[in-house]
Amino acid sequence: MKKQGIIIGITLSLCLLCLCVYLYNRLRQEAVVPAVAAFQAVPPDALIVQKFNSLAHFCGVYASPASVPARFCPSNNGLSEFLDKLYAAARENADYKALFESQVVGSVHYTGKNTLQVLLAIYLADPLAQEAFMKLLYAQFGAVTDYKKYNKTDIYQLFEGPSSLYVAVAGKFVVAATSLVMVESSVRHIVSGRSILDQGGFSDALTSSASAGPSHLYVNVQQFDKIVSSLLGRRMQPYADFLSKSASWMALNGAMTERFTHLSGPLSTDNGMGNYASVVAGQPASPVKLWEYLPAHTLLFLSLSFQDIAAYRNSYGNYLEIHKRDRAAAARIQAWEEKNQIKLETWVESLHPVEAALAWLPHKSKSQWITLVRSQHVAQMRRQLGLGTDSRQASRIFPNPYSGAFSAFLGPFFAKNTESHYTIIDNVLFLGDEEALELLHAGHNRSSSLYARMRQSGASGWMEEAGLTLMIQAGEARDSLISLSDSRYRSQIAEALSPYDYAFALFQLRGINKRAFANLVFGADMLRKSGSSSRTVSAGALDTEPQAMATGPFRVYNHATLKYNRLEQSPDSLLTLIDEAGKTLWKSRIKYPISDTLAQIDYLRNNKLQMLFASGTNLQLLDRLGRTVNPYPRPLEARVRKGPFVFDPQRNKNYLIFLIHTDNSLRLYDRRGAADRNWEAFMPEDRIERAPVLLSHAKVVYWLVYGVQNDYVLNASGVPVVTLQRRDRIKQDASLTLDSGDVLQATTVDGRLLTVELSTGSIKTRTP
């Protein structure tokens, strides 16, 4: 081929490639669905991004006076006043309905002055919402100053003076911030088409996270040190180094209520073993038990759970090597081995540990660090410590000849404790100061433990299995937390914590199928006038007692024999299927027992039934031979208290699966066991005990949920439209009718005829 022909060919190829790239980008932009489009107003440098499915829900969380998150937000700036007015309009004026159904994204950005700035973006996909906002802008805020025009976009100024707020309407977005620079940055990125979506780590997190739930939180973990520096001051920045290296992005979704925030989801680990989350992901999650041995007033609890401590230490060693910290760790280990004349790894493994924890306890005028180690073989642990098998001798406190072992083996966090003495309770080794161990030993009572207190508060939505658990009681550590915080925020934090005698933050990591998942829970409870710091939970509140195992037997239809079989479950989680003649068909052991009940579905749509049930923190599906059906098991955000409850409204085997979790949330899953994207987790203060009841006509769907104290009617997205209280509650065996006008008719508990207009919430009753 001639040189000229080669040049022409290469040129045409490059032109074709450019055309493909251009068309791909155009298609990508046009294919942006509303769930993703809402992020287009967020600049790429965001540290935290939170998306809400509706402005009404966002205002309910951050503007409601009863909301715990709202108390921790500054109340003396233009953005808070803006939210207050939006919240008032949402409750009082139906003309703004389209606006308050719009999606909202809030983002946090770091400035060069060690300060965090908040940007609020409202995605007005509906033209009616755009009209409603402009109407609200002039109706609710009076004189609106047309401050300037930037990139052909009008920027308005609200609230003159130090409380100024800048608001712009750019395309389909309303953006607001107390910083003019932030608003201009958002407008600039909207116009240019560049946003946080172009940031690779965020896009990966967005793709990997589930879209179900009313709230979604994305945290740039690699930049976590900037968040700590801004909130706690530069002197605390080095302590965030470990968290910054744990992952790249964290994608969480879940629910935020007046008392609790519960979010969970996957972590991105772009740096492989250089991210600590990969160390956790390498091992299946294990039970967390050591907080049952700590007093309720524990300030901080850090737990590591592992099924194979040697494998964990090997992975952790790779993590240290990548960050060039392996030499310092090796030096600590060598010093301990020279002192004790034994290989550290051998000595630690001989104790058969399955969980190790570090606790920070208040003691007199100072605080004490205590290390706890739970052993799988307590007799071997006693022999290794030279105690023999005499439990009376083991209950005493002894000087520790092997001090420093766990700080050298598990890393610098455990170096907070000198491990000078030790004692044993049950199968747990306690290490710490002699006086602290004496007080702990004397006051040991598992019924008033840290774990019992958290359950009593109603905070039972955490994962009881994890690789890493970090819990901080902000209520107990109020003064310490305030003193550590930056001076700019101390008064705000003090004011926010003042009404609560119980406030905590819980963070957990666990490995599922070689991937790391996070669980984040915040909770707070108001002061009680009874003089006790413990909260008394009513009969209608969340779980306060451990859940009993569902014993069965379960009746199972065998599609091959057209007979009913019996599935039995033993206390050690062995499942046995027995046919109608009493013959054992198969046995299969599962890791955790069936939580409540069992349902059968035709998942493959081939007229063959499979067994669906919850087990531990998974939803499981077995075929008639006891084999797991792909893509099950599916991980769940919390353990299951009731369910599964299965519905097939369209009779097409496109099943709807409801589960009532231990955090009292009612969640909806599809036939594949994935969280339904359109369903908001329903989490009433009232306790849910029964399966929901389907109310439908044509394509309109509502759900009736019976609580212990109230009844609720939810729409197809899980949002309550009516709450029925006291005498208006529905009789549980009453017939229910729903007509084409969305009018529900039923019988109340006292026999009256009930009529509810679900579209307006109007409730009428009459005597029959």
Side-chain angles (χ1 to χ4, degrees):
M1 182 180 290
K2 294 183 178 181
K3 182 178 180 180
Q4 184 179 7
I6 295 175
I7 294 174
I8 294 173
I10 293 175
T11 303
L12 290 174
S13 298
L14 290 174
C15 291
L16 181 61
L17 177 62
C18 292
L19 179 62
C20 291
V21 172
Y22 170 76
L23 291 174
Y24 169 77
N25 287 330
R26 284 297 302 270
L27 289 172
R28 181 176 178 268
Q29 291 173 3
E30 293 173 3
V32 173
V33 295
V36 176
F39 296 104
Q40 291 178 325
V42 180
D45 62 348
L47 303 179
I48 301 174
V49 183
Q50 186 168 19
K51 172 181 168 292
F52 284 83
N53 287 350
S54 70
L55 177 59
H57 185 217
F58 176 83
C59 289
V61 170
Y62 286 109
S64 171
S67 169
V68 171
R71 293 193 59 85
F72 288 88
C73 297
S75 57
N76 57 350
N77 64 25
L79 189 58
S80 61
E81 188 172 346
F82 181 67
L83 288 178
D84 290 340
K85 289 184 177 292
L86 289 180
Y87 184 66
R91 292 180 298 171
E92 298 170 2
N93 196 328
D95 293 342
Y96 302 131
K97 180 180 180 182
L99 172 62
F100 290 101
E101 290 177 349
S102 300
Q103 296 175 358
V104 174
V105 173
S107 55
V108 177
H109 303 259
Y110 181 80
T111 70
K113 299 178 181 179
N114 201 34
T115 302
L116 299 178
Q117 289 284 354
V118 177
L119 175 71
L120 177 66
I122 308 171
Y123 179 61
L124 306 177
D126 188 344
L128 293 176
Q130 299 175 34
E131 295 177 9
F133 178 77
M134 295 308 298
K135 178 181 177 182
L136 181 146
L137 189 65
Y138 287 98
Q140 295 290 323
F141 298 94
V144 178
T145 304
D146 190 352
Y147 186 74
K148 67 179 295 188
K149 188 177 288 289
Y150 178 80
N151 256 348
K152 300 181 180 180
T153 301
D154 290 324
I155 298 180
Y156 305 97
Q157 181 182 11
L158 311 182
F159 323 123
E160 294 182 358
S163 297
S164 290
L165 181 75
Y166 300 95
V167 179
V169 180
K172 294 184 177 181
F173 290 95
V174 172
V175 292
T178 57
S179 166
L180 177 61
V181 174
M182 281 304 312
V183 173
E184 291 178 342
S185 175
S186 178
V187 170
R188 186 168 62 251
H189 285 91
I190 292 172
V191 173
S192 68
R194 293 185 63 251
S195 68
I196 189 74
L197 292 172
D198 297 305
Q199 216 242 51
F202 178 81
S203 296
D204 293 343
L206 192 65
T207 303
S208 64
S209 63
S211 60
S215 176
H216 310 261
L217 181 70
Y218 303 89
V219 180
N220 189 342
V221 182
Q222 299 171 106
Q223 302 294 324
F224 198 80
D225 58 333
K226 293 181 179 178
I227 301 173
V228 171
S229 173
S230 298
L231 295 179
L232 301 182
R234 294 187 187 276
R235 71 187 190 283
M236 298 299 295
Q237 193 168 4
Y239 293 96
D241 182 64
F242 170 74
L243 289 175
S244 298
K245 290 181 172 62
S246 63
S248 55
W249 276 84
M250 180 166 57
L252 307 172
N253 71 87
M256 303 179 74
T257 65
E258 290 185 356
R259 287 175 49 219
F260 295 105
T261 294
H262 181 201
L263 304 166
S264 61
L267 289 91
S268 300
T269 51
D270 298 342
N271 198 22
M273 292 306 299
N275 291 135
Y276 183 79
S278 295
V279 178
V280 174
Q283 291 200 46
S286 299
V288 181
K289 297 286 188 181
L290 288 177
W291 47 16
E292 299 178 17
Y293 290 87
L294 290 168
H297 58 271
T298 301
L299 302 179
L300 180 144
F301 173 75
L302 172 66
S303 165
L304 298 174
S305 302
F306 20 69
Q307 294 187 3
D308 185 341
I309 192 170
Y312 170 83
R313 188 60 183 81
N314 182 61
S315 297
Y316 182 60
N318 293 334
Y319 165 82
L320 293 175
E321 183 178 359
I322 290 174
H323 294 290
K324 303 185 185 305
R325 297 181 179 179
D326 52 321
R327 292 185 179 180
R332 290 192 296 269
I333 293 175
Q334 182 180 355
W336 187 93
E337 291 177 343
E338 290 176 353
K339 171 189 172 185
N340 294 278
Q341 294 300 301
I342 186 174
K343 192 171 179 60
L344 177 60
E345 183 177 347
T346 302
W347 188 83
V348 171
E349 290 180 11
S350 70
L351 300 182
H352 299 280
V354 290
E355 182 184 2
L358 182 69
W360 186 26
L361 308 178
H363 176 52
K364 294 185 176 179
S365 59
K366 59 180 181 178
S367 298
Q368 294 279 1
W369 293 97
I370 293 179
T371 300
L372 302 84
V373 181
R374 181 165 60 90
S375 174
Q376 195 172 14
H377 301 290
V378 63
Q380 173 63 22
M381 180 174 67
R382 288 173 176 165
R383 284 194 294 269
Q384 190 66 23
L385 292 168
L387 297 178
T389 58
D390 188 347
S391 60
R392 291 172 298 177
Q393 184 185 22
S395 65
R396 293 169 50 197
I397 297 173
F398 299 91
N400 181 17
Y402 304 104
S403 61
F406 287 95
S407 62
F409 191 79
L410 293 176
F413 280 109
F414 284 80
K416 297 286 185 182
N417 185 6
T418 61
E419 305 175 16
S420 62
H421 289 73
Y422 75 88
T423 186
I424 294 178
I425 300 175
D426 297 336
N427 63 332
V428 178
L429 171 67
F430 293 79
L431 303 161
D433 177 84
E434 181 178 15
E435 184 179 10
L437 292 182
E438 287 177 351
L439 294 172
L440 182 69
H441 209 294
H444 172 62
N445 185 350
R446 294 177 71 177
S447 64
S448 60
S449 66
L450 172 64
Y451 178 75
R453 180 173 184 179
M454 293 179 74
R455 288 189 66 87
Q456 186 183 25
S457 74
S460 57
W462 60 77
M463 296 177 295
E464 295 184 1
E465 292 182 337
L468 178 144
T469 298
L470 174 63
M471 193 281 299
I472 299 174
Q473 286 207 83
E476 297 287 352
R478 188 193 323 268
D479 295 338
S480 298
L481 186 63
I482 294 172
S483 64
L484 288 174
S485 62
D486 190 272
S487 58
R488 293 170 295 177
Y489 307 112
R490 285 176 188 170
S491 60
Q492 177 68 26
I493 294 175
E495 182 182 354
L497 288 174
S498 60
Y500 306 113
D501 65 338
Y502 184 74
F504 74 93
L506 175 70
F507 176 73
Q508 290 184 305
L509 293 177
R510 65 169 174 170
I512 302 176
N513 298 328
K514 302 296 183 179
R515 182 157 192 192
F517 286 78
N519 188 57
L520 188 64
V521 183
F522 296 100
D525 199 10
M526 293 289 186
L527 284 164
R528 295 299 187 261
K529 302 302 182 181
S530 61
S532 171
S533 62
S534 297
R535 180 177 184 267
T536 302
V537 182
S538 67
L542 308 183
D543 274 353
T544 58
E545 296 298 331
Q547 184 179 349
M549 183 187 77
T551 57
F554 305 96
R555 195 167 182 246
V556 177
Y557 184 75
N558 190 325
H559 59 262
T561 64
L562 306 182
K563 302 288 186 180
Y564 280 97
N565 298 158
R566 185 173 75 252
L567 183 70
E568 295 186 348
Q569 177 176 215
S570 66
D572 59 349
S573 303
L574 179 67
L575 300 182
T576 304
L577 188 67
I578 303 171
D579 68 11
E580 67 280 1
K583 177 183 176 182
T584 297
L585 300 178
W586 52 259
K587 292 186 178 183
S588 178
R589 191 178 304 279
I590 55 179
K591 189 174 181 181
Y592 296 100
I594 296 175
S595 301
D596 177 50
T597 188
L598 180 148
Q600 287 186 273
I601 62 173
D602 181 6
Y603 174 75
L604 300 176
R605 297 172 176 169
N606 59 358
N607 296 320
K608 296 179 180 180
L609 296 177
Q610 297 84 40
M611 293 167 278
L612 180 73
F613 57 86
S615 169
T617 53
N618 291 306
L619 189 62
Q620 181 64 279
L621 187 67
L622 302 182
D623 66 13
R624 70 181 183 89
L625 300 179
R627 300 170 301 192
T628 298
V629 179
N630 188 49
Y632 289 83
R634 298 301 298 262
L636 303 170
E637 295 185 11
R639 289 179 177 268
V640 174
R641 179 163 55 83
K642 295 287 183 180
F645 308 114
V646 179
F647 296 84
D648 186 11
Q650 306 300 325
R651 299 186 181 277
N652 58 359
K653 300 182 180 179
N654 193 23
Y655 301 105
L656 302 178
I657 303 168
F658 282 97
L659 297 174
I660 302 173
H661 292 275
T662 52
D663 61 354
N664 201 48
S665 64
L666 176 67
R667 299 176 185 264
L668 177 61
Y669 302 83
D670 63 20
R671 58 185 288 269
R672 296 177 178 83
D676 189 285
R677 296 184 177 185
N678 298 318
W679 181 269
E680 295 193 9
F682 179 56
M683 301 179 68
E685 292 289 325
D686 197 4
R687 183 183 175 98
I688 308 172
E689 286 290 353
R690 296 182 57 192
V693 178
L694 173 63
L695 307 172
S696 67
H697 67 78
K699 294 184 179 181
V700 178
V701 171
Y702 291 95
W703 298 95
L704 173 62
V705 178
Y706 292 102
V708 172
Q709 299 173 350
N710 304 312
D711 297 337
Y712 310 88
V713 180
L714 316 181
N715 65 16
S717 299
V719 178
V721 295
V722 173
T723 299
L724 301 171
Q725 301 174 325
R726 301 182 181 88
R727 295 179 62 199
D728 291 340
R729 298 188 63 190
I730 296 176
K731 188 178 180 182
Q732 293 192 0
D733 59 350
S735 60
L736 305 169
T737 60
L738 182 66
D739 66 18
S740 58
D742 291 0
V743 176
L744 170 65
Q745 293 184 331
T747 305
T748 65
V749 289
D750 59 359
R752 291 173 299 134
L753 298 180
L754 175 72
T755 301
V756 183
E757 295 182 6
L758 299 180
S759 59
T760 63
S762 172
I763 302 172
K764 298 178 182 179
T765 60
R766 62 183 177 86
T767 304

